[in-house]
Amino acid sequence: DQKAFNAETSGVVVNRVAKGTPADLAGVQSGDIITHLDGVAIQDLEHCVNLINTLDAQKGHAVLNSIRNGVKMELKLKLK
């Protein structure tokens, strides 16, 4: 468990997670800071949305790196 998040960290803060979505099923929680999606650093909300929209569903999953309460996490999103 590594403590993280400072002014140098980029990413987006999750406000809420809809029930039954890939994010919910992967364990994403309100307050998490999403920093990377499939190895790509998240710059801002628009960038995050664009990356989500380009995920390859045929691959079956995506890796989401986040920070929760100062601890870095890696979650696997199951794509539909």
Side-chain angles (χ1 to χ4, degrees):
D1 292 351
Q2 298 175 329
K3 295 289 181 185
F5 197 68
N6 55 45
E8 304 297 314
T9 302
S10 66
V12 294
V13 177
V14 176
N15 288 323
R16 64 184 170 93
V17 181
K19 295 278 186 203
T21 62
D24 177 44
L25 298 173
V28 176
Q29 296 179 6
S30 177
D32 286 357
I33 302 162
I34 300 173
T35 60
H36 293 78
L37 185 59
D38 268 355
V40 179
I42 302 297
Q43 299 165 7
D44 55 32
L45 181 58
E46 182 179 356
H47 183 233
C48 185
V49 170
N50 287 339
L51 285 174
I52 290 168
N53 289 333
T54 61
L55 288 174
D56 182 2
Q58 291 190 6
K59 181 177 157 188
H61 73 278
V63 176
L64 184 144
N65 297 91
S66 63
I67 300 170
R68 180 180 300 153
N69 299 322
V71 179
K72 291 182 179 181
M73 303 177 64
E74 183 175 287
L75 303 171
K76 188 179 252 189
L77 296 174
K78 194 178 255 190
L79 303 175
K80 298 178 180 181

